């Protein structure tokens, strides 16, 4: 399925992009990519870089900051190195979400449990299905999108669900608006993850909180801090199922308070797309621009 983009895309090598687009600087994702750094040096343009959740080492941020081509690095806050000089080049920024798209629904289905993610093994969708099996009176919906180069893994996810008796509904290739609609309707968001996988700030959790969902996530030090009072964490599928089932006894006031906490946490701690403002300001400063060029 094709997705419309609001910005121009160039599917060619970096040298051709620079010649056609004539940027003041280059912004990339992922802190350390040798091939990318080699291509960047050839352009002579300054670089800023956004770190991702799987880059869960402060050492990577330090290496990026030591590179003379990198003028600023923006890892998640928990991955910012504790070094006095890091303020010059490293700014920790939380994940951003579209606050105009993700907001609480008027009528939450208290028996609807949602999960949104990319189709890769580290997301541990088997556990999502196992938890669903233990909560037959709830409706579990997985919205999954294909991952680049491993698109066929969605077939394996479907097969796992079938193997376990299809306890969950699987929706794939959804547009952003359709995902937002699902989260507005769902009262519970269940996030699954393998215990040994790097954990950053999954955007689906931020979107779920902004939508007023009660969040249940796999227990890690980082996940507990991220979810905070918007939900709880679990250590096993049995415990997760128990946490889903206990919500059946909640009153309307309990649900209202829970939803309010989630929304407030998303707006105060995650900030929506406002997280981009300091990133853009820093890039303009590096490029010596008073404001972003029109259309860029």
């Amino acid at each position: 399925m094709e997705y419309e983009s609001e910005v121009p895309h160039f599917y060619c090598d970096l040298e051709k992009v620079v010649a056609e687009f004539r940027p003041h600087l280059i912004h990339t994702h992922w802190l350390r990519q040798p091939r990318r750094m080699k291509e960047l040096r050839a352009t002579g343009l300054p670089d800023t870089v956004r770190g991702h959740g799987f880059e869960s080492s402060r050492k990577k941020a330090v290496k990026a900051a030591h590179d003379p081509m990198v003028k600023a690095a923006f890892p998640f806050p928990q991955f910012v190195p504790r070094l006095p000089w890091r303020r010059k080049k490293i700014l920790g920024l939380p994940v951003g979400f579209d606050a105009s798209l993700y907001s609480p629904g008027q009528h939450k289905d208290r028996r609807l449990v949602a999960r949104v993610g990319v189709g890769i093994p580290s997301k541990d969708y088997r556990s999502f299905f196992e938890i669903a099996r233990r909560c037959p009176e709830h409706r579990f919906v997985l919205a999954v999108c294909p991952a680049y180069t491993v698109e066929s893994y969605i077939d394996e996810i479907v097969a796992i669900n079938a193997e376990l008796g299809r306890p969950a509904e699987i929706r794939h290739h959804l547009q952003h608006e359709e995902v937002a609609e699902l989260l507005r309707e769902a009262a519970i968001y269940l996030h699954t993850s393998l215990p040994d996988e790097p954990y950053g700030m999954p955007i689906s959790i931020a979107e779920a909180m902004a939508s007023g969902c009660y969040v249940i996530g796999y227990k890690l030090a980082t996940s507990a801090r991220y979810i905070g009072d918007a939900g709880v964490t679990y250590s096993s599928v049995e415990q997760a199922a128990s946490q889903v089932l206990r919500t059946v006894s909640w009153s309307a006031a309990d649900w209202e308070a829970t939803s309010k906490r989630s929304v407030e946490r998303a707006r105060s701690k995650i900030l929506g797309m406002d997280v981009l403002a300091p990133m853009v300001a820093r890039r303009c400063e590096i490029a010596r621009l008073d404001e972003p060029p029109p259309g860029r």
Side-chain angles (χ1 to χ4, degrees):
M1 180 178 292
E2 296 293 331
Y3 294 88
E4 294 292 333
S5 174
E6 297 178 356
V7 297
H9 277 64
F10 297 84
Y11 297 96
C12 54
D13 62 55
L14 188 58
E15 184 179 358
K16 291 181 179 179
V17 173
V18 170
E20 183 172 349
F21 193 61
R22 293 177 296 166
H24 294 83
L25 57 79
I26 296 173
H27 180 68
T28 58
H29 285 240
W30 303 351
L31 293 172
R32 296 299 297 174
Q33 284 189 310
R35 178 183 174 185
R36 186 206 72 203
M37 298 309 299
K38 183 178 180 180
E39 292 177 346
L40 286 174
R41 289 189 179 89
T43 69
L45 290 168
D47 174 46
T48 62
V49 59
R50 173 61 152 157
H52 282 244
F54 55 82
E55 298 174 309
S56 56
S57 168
R58 294 186 178 94
K59 292 181 180 179
K60 292 186 177 181
V62 171
K63 288 180 180 179
H66 274 304
D67 194 309
M69 292 296 296
V70 176
K71 302 304 180 184
F74 309 104
F76 290 139
Q78 67 267 37
F79 302 146
V80 173
R82 299 185 180 93
L83 298 170
W85 57 264
R86 64 91 177 163
R87 293 183 179 88
K88 297 179 181 178
K89 296 183 73 171
I90 303 177
L91 176 61
L93 293 174
V95 69
F97 67 93
D98 189 344
S100 67
L101 189 59
Y102 294 94
S103 59
Q106 293 296 318
H107 303 287
K108 287 282 192 184
D109 183 345
R110 298 173 185 173
R111 296 294 181 105
L112 176 55
V113 182
R115 170 74 165 101
V116 179
V118 65
I120 53 177
S122 64
K123 302 305 179 182
D124 192 21
Y125 296 125
R126 177 177 286 274
S127 287
F128 183 81
F129 302 141
E130 290 281 8
I131 296 164
R133 289 178 67 190
R134 290 165 169 79
C135 305
E137 300 302 314
H138 284 73
R139 181 162 63 102
F140 283 67
V141 177
L142 169 63
V144 62
C145 65
Y148 180 60
T149 74
V150 289
E151 292 87 351
S152 63
Y153 187 70
I154 285 185
D155 295 335
E156 188 166 337
I157 294 171
V158 171
I160 295 171
N161 189 43
E163 171 195 330
L164 297 175
R166 294 185 176 84
E169 175 188 344
I170 299 177
R171 303 178 188 175
H172 47 82
H173 294 89
L174 298 186
Q175 298 287 346
H176 292 297
E177 292 79 9
E178 293 172 300
V179 172
E181 183 179 351
L182 170 64
L183 293 180
R184 279 194 296 271
E185 182 185 357
I188 301 172
Y189 184 76
L190 173 61
H191 190 273
T192 53
S193 177
L194 292 177
D196 56 350
E197 288 295 323
Y199 191 99
M201 299 183 78
I203 190 171
S204 65
I205 291 180
E207 293 166 346
M209 288 193 289
S211 303
C213 297
Y214 178 59
V215 179
I216 301 175
Y218 187 77
K219 188 174 183 179
L220 298 165
T222 46
S223 65
R225 288 195 297 268
Y226 185 26
I227 295 170
D229 61 356
V232 292
T233 58
Y234 66 91
S235 300
S236 66
V237 294
E238 292 80 10
Q239 187 179 25
S242 176
Q243 289 164 342
V244 170
L245 293 172
R246 75 184 183 90
T247 64
V248 173
S249 64
W250 285 5
S251 66
D254 291 332
W255 280 109
E256 183 178 356
T258 297
S259 181
K260 184 177 180 180
R261 284 195 300 270
S262 289
V263 173
E264 288 181 348
R265 184 167 186 81
R267 292 178 177 174
S268 65
K269 302 295 184 181
I270 313 302
L271 307 176
M273 296 306 285
D274 292 343
V275 71
L276 297 180
M279 191 184 300
V280 173
R282 183 73 183 101
R283 297 208 300 256
C284 289
E285 179 185 345
I286 293 167
R288 298 181 180 179
L289 298 173
D290 293 330
E291 58 184 29
R296 296 192 184 181

